[in-house]
Amino acid sequence: MISNSSMYPPSHAKCDHEPSLLQVPAETQKRKVQSFNIRTEFKAMHDMAELRVGAEAVRFVIHRNILTHHSTFFRAALNGAFAEGLSQTVTLPTESLDTFELFLHWAYTCTLDPKAYFKDAKPAYYVLLHLYGLADRLAVEGLRNLVLDTISSLADQTNSVLTPSDTFILYDTIPSSAPIRRLVLDLFAFKKTDKLLDEHPDEWHPQFTRDLVVKLKRPEEVAMQRHTLITWKPEHWQESMGCAICSEVLHPYGNHVGCSGCEKKFCNRCAKAKRALCVFEDGRVVCKPWNGKVRCRIYHEHVETAECP
Ligand SMILES: [Zn+2]
Ligand SMILES: [Zn+2]
Ligand SMILES: [Zn+2]
């Protein structure tokens, strides 16, 4: 575990060009918490809860409904018969004040402030990773999904990935089962990151490099899940193509499988295997697992929150 102070260095995130849009679209941010409408429910929000955050125990007085709506943790603490429930006070001594304030901003608005995670013309992934860690500890599924979406969008819009120090936050403070772990490995596997991994002067988290090697060596479901597969059959021999995985010629005398997104074709055997190697692909249209509707299926959690449309 790296020390808390070293988790907040100036970001070294690779950034090739200025992004045109740094904010996740508003409809993406707001759809996560569909059953709560602050405009209509605010008038019924009379009860307050007190939170004491960080080593200095900074005091926040927050609408109780906001906390219990979003967070299983606060529901258990504030609705229970324990000291927290009786006093309506919860202490979070090890949480960072900055990260907690980002959570509060999201809890009231269902949006993230891009200025918080894009600093000095670079993505500050460490801010989002700390927020994901807090959302995990407070059991806030909607925020975890939104942070994952925001990291996906930032990575594409700025053509960047996490820095070595970010991988320490990811591996030392976020559980191994968290979908964000898979997303980050996929970003490195499907984006062109060989030079970055080879030449970056800082150390990557050792478990991260091990996981990445395994991901690149072993056929993975995500490499097929990212496609939108449909039945495909060439009309003539001139239209026949090779399977994108095994190169078998796909003739006009049978049904094969194609992707309606990137137009890759597959033989039935490879499509049924549902696994392929994760590799960087250069091309006009490339299916990335974190783009479009497949992102929900591959990475989102929807136990507490409504499915994405
Ligand atoms: Zn595809
Ligand atoms: Zn094949
Ligand atoms: Zn979803």
Side-chain angles (χ1 to χ4, degrees), residues 227 259 262 287:
H227 297 296
C259 172
C262 64
C287 292

Side-chain angles (χ1 to χ4, degrees), residues 232-242 248-254 256:
W232 174 77
K233 181 180 180 178
E235 294 289 323
H236 314 285
W237 272 107
Q238 293 93 313
E239 292 175 11
S240 62
M241 293 175 70
E248 179 186 313
V249 176
L250 306 175
H251 55 68
Y253 303 112
H256 313 289

Side-chain angles (χ1 to χ4, degrees), residues 1-4 6-7 129-130 133 137 164-176 181 204-208:
M1 170 96 68
I2 56 176
S3 72
N4 203 36
S6 64
M7 287 179 186
L129 292 171
H130 283 308
R137 291 187 290 280
S165 63
D166 293 334
T167 62
F168 282 84
I169 302 171
L170 183 68
Y171 275 75
D172 287 342
T173 69
I174 293 174
S176 59
R181 288 261 201 123
W204 304 87
H205 192 287
Q207 187 61 44
F208 164 76

Side-chain angles (χ1 to χ4, degrees), residues 31-32 145 296-297 300-302 306-308:
R31 70 170 179 243
K32 306 300 178 193
N145 286 341
C296 178
R297 185 156 43 84
H300 280 178
E301 301 166 89
H302 284 299
E307 291 283 335
C308 296

